[in-house]
Amino acid sequence: MQERLLELKEEALAKVEAAANLKELNDIRVAYLGKKGPITEVLRGMGKLSAEERPKMGALVNEVREQITEKLTAKQELLEKEEVERKLASETIDVTLPGRPVNVGGPHPLTKVIEEIEDLFLGMGYSIAEGPEVEKDYYNFEALNLPKDHPARDMQDSFYITEDILLRTQTSPVQARTMEKHEGKGPVKIICPGKVYRRDNDDATHSHQFTQIEGLVVDENIRMSDLKGTLNTFAKKMFGDDREIRLRPSFFPFTEPSVEMDISCFKCGGDGCNVCKKTGWIEILGAGMVHPNVLEMSGFDSKKYTGFAFGMGPERIAMLKYGIDDIRHLYTNDNRFIKQFNRA
Ligand code: DAH
């Protein structure tokens, strides 16, 4: 029995010594010292020994167990230390490596222009209105004095979803929606920035999706001179104090009379250059006095109320202002392009 014990001890100690990791070590612990292990078995056989031999054998068993446990603990500490060292070595951070550059974005030129225009009109007492981009044919066309089959509908090739629903081709439907909500009682003084959609082939100056800013003022005694004064203030604040404006007769179904506003060229001051195509003038927006039909359809008494409206394209303004030669630059979001406007 004694021999068997010493044999087991040598065997266990050798295995502990050879253990390569903590899992193996634990398996050895269970195998030799566990309840079903050989040493426990030896203990069980002690009943057969004489009273004299029993304590001696008991002491020896304890000694063997202690030695194995001691060795196990020492080996465990060693393996744990090795593990920590291995981890430290593999996770070492080289603090001397140069950092990765952080790519800081900047405001998009189109957003900048839209916000500038918003600020300007908010300062003149306007509020900002919004409307849906998926719009009813009624608001996009009919309520703006463009009945079905009206030839002027061809001016704006549309994306129809059903016969009565389309992606809005202009922000003008927000005029009708806002007036309708007012239930025939003025005053209305809004601008409406937003996305619009047209069936155009994309090129340097066209995009199937772009933005517009609509303006609408309705009250008693609103006159063409109010429109002119407003546009003049806008042009000077946006493009510089020495800008002149010029109104040319035009046609929009929802305004009568209708005009287009040009500003004197901010590059050459009117002498003629590549920006104004040698004319001295740059076309900026469409406007006019709200057509009585439009007022009536949205519930306003056109004998009591009058109004003016205007609509402009922020892309065109951004392109003019920053000298951008291709509208697609505004949509591809190349950071090298956008970054140029960080401090502009
Ligand atoms: N909605 C017009 C367009 O997309 C722009 C416009 C012109 C809006 C004159 C107006 C306006 O409100 O009075 O071409």
Side-chain angles (χ1 to χ4, degrees):
M1 199 174 242
Q2 195 171 336
E3 250 166 54
R4 169 84 183 123
L5 255 178
L6 292 176
E7 227 176 78
L8 281 170
K9 183 181 96 174
E10 290 312 317
E11 203 181 289
L13 292 181
K15 281 195 178 167
V16 169
E17 182 61 42
N21 55 47
L22 291 166
K23 159 123 192 14
E24 264 182 55
L25 203 64
N26 201 42
D27 289 346
I28 296 165
R29 186 195 316 276
V30 173
Y32 283 89
L33 303 180
K35 275 190 199 141
K36 289 179 189 150
I39 295 178
T40 313
E41 214 163 273
V42 171
L43 271 174
R44 268 195 218 111
M46 279 191 12
K48 291 185 203 128
L49 294 178
S50 67
E52 228 167 82
E53 275 177 318
R54 225 179 280 157
K56 275 194 211 149
M57 207 51 171
L60 186 62
V61 168
N62 279 341
E63 200 188 307
V64 167
R65 289 183 76 127
E66 254 164 47
Q67 281 179 3
I68 297 175
T69 309
E70 228 168 72
K71 182 95 183 166
L72 273 167
T73 311
K75 184 75 182 181
Q76 180 165 346
E77 275 170 15
L78 187 76
L79 285 174
E80 277 172 354
K81 207 171 138 207
E82 274 175 17
E83 173 89 28
V84 169
E85 270 161 15
R86 213 175 309 124
K87 249 192 167 163
L88 279 177
S90 71
E91 291 173 8
T92 306
I93 296 167
D94 182 354
V95 289
T96 64
L97 277 178
R100 289 196 195 122
V102 178
N103 217 346
V104 181
H108 193 283
L110 191 56
T111 311
K112 282 179 71 145
V113 163
I114 292 172
E115 285 179 353
E116 200 178 329
I117 297 171
E118 283 177 353
D119 277 355
L120 220 149
F121 281 98
L122 284 170
M124 291 198 266
Y126 287 66
S127 46
I128 295 178
E130 284 188 332
E133 288 169 32
V134 178
E135 185 55 287
K136 291 187 174 148
D137 180 277
Y138 174 78
Y139 290 112
N140 195 76
F141 289 130
E142 254 171 88
L144 297 169
N145 205 26
L146 273 145
K148 288 217 155 78
D149 302 324
H150 192 290
R153 282 192 179 208
D154 295 346
M155 286 161 75
Q156 306 177 0
D157 254 335
S158 321
F159 287 114
Y160 273 93
I161 292 167
T162 68
E163 213 174 293
D164 299 315
I165 295 173
L166 74 164
L167 297 181
R168 68 179 177 194
T169 59
Q170 47 188 352
T171 43
S172 308
V174 184
Q175 282 190 25
R177 286 182 172 273
T178 308
M179 282 192 278
E180 208 178 71
K181 261 194 272 166
H182 261 70
E183 294 180 335
K185 290 176 210 76
V188 175
K189 205 171 173 189
I190 53 142
I191 57 162
C192 165
K195 291 194 186 91
V196 299
Y197 304 81
R198 289 192 198 174
R199 273 196 310 123
D200 255 333
N201 288 325
D202 294 359
D203 62 23
T205 51
H206 294 88
S207 169
H208 60 283
Q209 185 245 289
F210 54 103
T211 59
Q212 280 192 339
I213 297 181
E214 189 79 13
L216 174 72
V217 174
V218 178
D219 203 349
E220 293 177 40
N221 292 318
I222 298 290
R223 299 162 202 215
M224 189 89 181
S225 51
D226 296 314
L227 171 63
K228 199 173 166 187
T230 304
L231 295 182
N232 196 29
T233 307
F234 163 71
K236 285 185 164 44
K237 290 211 170 146
M238 195 73 196
F239 296 100
D241 266 345
D242 37 355
R243 292 286 66 70
E244 302 275 332
I245 67 162
R246 164 175 101 169
L247 301 182
R248 278 181 292 109
S250 185
F251 170 77
F252 299 103
F254 29 86
T255 44
E256 182 58 38
S258 302
V259 294
E260 260 166 284
M261 179 187 86
D262 299 338
I263 58 167
S264 55
C265 182
F266 48 77
K267 189 170 176 201
C268 63
D271 298 339
C273 67
N274 60 335
V275 172
C276 59
K277 300 197 188 95
K278 307 245 184 298
T279 63
W281 295 94
I282 303 171
E283 188 187 316
I284 295 292
L285 53 78
M289 300 307 291
V290 182
H291 197 293
N293 288 355
V294 173
L295 289 167
E296 295 286 343
M297 270 187 281
S298 295
F300 276 78
D301 179 354
S302 64
K303 293 203 181 61
K304 191 170 171 202
Y305 290 102
T306 48
F308 66 74
F310 54 85
M312 63 183 103
E315 277 87 348
R316 184 171 159 70
I317 294 174
M319 288 169 80
L320 284 167
K321 214 174 143 118
Y322 299 120
I324 299 164
D325 59 1
D326 192 322
I327 196 169
R328 290 167 293 195
H329 286 315
L330 295 172
Y331 305 122
T332 40
N333 286 337
D334 185 332
N335 219 9
R336 290 167 303 180
F337 167 78
I338 296 172
K339 265 187 180 166
Q340 299 174 49
F341 303 93
N342 279 5
R343 268 159 308 204

